[in-house]
Amino acid sequence: MEYLDVVISFAALAALCLFLYVRCDLPASLTPLAAVSGTMVWFSIAGMAGLLRPMGWAWFVLAAAAGAAGLWKTSPKKLAGLLRPGFCLFVGLGVVFGVYLALRQPVVAVWDEMSFWGTAAKITKLDNELYTTSSLSRIWEWTATQKPGMILLGYFVQFFGAGFAAWKLYFAYDLLLFACFAAVVGALEGRRWPVWI
């Protein structure tokens, strides 16, 4: 179960990308950025409303429904159009870095300067509540410097996990970065995009 939550979250993002491409006619290379950004907004609103857990379940149900709607009566030719360089880059980098981080298992307090962010993400995950209102720590009363969208993207990736894992937080942040890469590559398609990758 340690890795299943990451796989489920990544598959849910892919399902949302499929829906955005097929039903909303969004260019394939922009779908990852729209899906990840929309997820951050959804979870931020849920966290601020104090409904993080129920709205998280609703997000995954809606993502599954969106993926099914994207597949419903869609021709294989249309589905193949999703395999643009930007989207493939997002999926490929997501898989490669997901495996790398799962094997390496970086720890927030040791691996880099993100120990403060890591604390906010850990409190959010363990209490299923936005770190600023969590009962686990009152340190956040005097400072709320972390962006909730980034913290909650980490929460989203480990939504089904039993506890907090720092490597999943890094994976979530990497997904946002890879979604930006995909959007740039999509904008450069036809203009030597392999060089830009």
Side-chain angles (χ1 to χ4, degrees):
M1 187 64 171
E2 182 182 357
Y3 307 104
L4 190 58
D5 53 346
V6 173
V7 173
I8 292 170
S9 299
F10 196 58
L13 280 177
L16 192 53
C17 288
L18 173 69
F19 176 81
L20 291 170
Y21 172 71
V22 171
R23 300 294 175 218
C24 301
D25 291 324
L26 195 64
S29 297
L30 286 179
T31 60
L33 186 58
V36 171
S37 299
T39 299
M40 289 171 64
V41 169
W42 178 277
F43 277 85
S44 294
I45 291 169
M48 287 184 243
L51 300 169
L52 201 51
R53 198 75 179 153
M55 292 290 282
W57 278 106
W59 189 97
F60 281 96
V61 168
L62 290 173
L71 288 174
W72 181 257
K73 295 185 178 178
T74 304
S75 70
K77 183 177 179 181
K78 176 75 172 175
L79 291 175
L82 186 62
L83 301 177
R84 305 297 303 163
F87 181 76
C88 292
L89 179 71
F90 173 76
V91 171
L93 287 174
V95 169
V96 168
F97 274 81
V99 170
Y100 169 74
L101 291 170
L103 294 174
R104 182 71 199 267
Q105 302 264 332
V107 178
V108 175
V110 176
W111 217 47
D112 67 11
E113 74 282 356
M114 286 182 57
S115 57
F116 196 60
W117 288 20
T119 304
K122 185 173 185 177
I123 288 171
T124 299
K125 172 59 184 159
L126 295 179
D127 209 23
N128 289 311
E129 191 174 338
L130 195 58
Y131 65 93
T132 53
T133 59
S134 172
S135 61
L136 289 179
S137 175
R138 299 325 259 168
I139 190 174
W140 305 103
E141 288 179 346
W142 57 269
T143 180
T145 60
Q146 306 305 317
K147 307 289 187 282
M150 293 293 288
I151 300 300
L152 291 169
L153 187 59
Y155 177 82
F156 155 74
V157 166
Q158 49 192 324
F159 183 80
F160 292 105
F164 175 77
W167 71 268
K168 296 174 186 177
L169 180 63
Y170 288 109
F171 179 69
Y173 292 174
D174 286 342
L175 286 179
L176 179 59
L177 182 65
F178 301 153
C180 293
F181 287 169
V184 169
V185 168
L188 297 169
E189 281 184 28
R191 296 186 210 149
R192 301 182 343 177
W193 60 265
V195 174
W196 285 96
I197 290 176

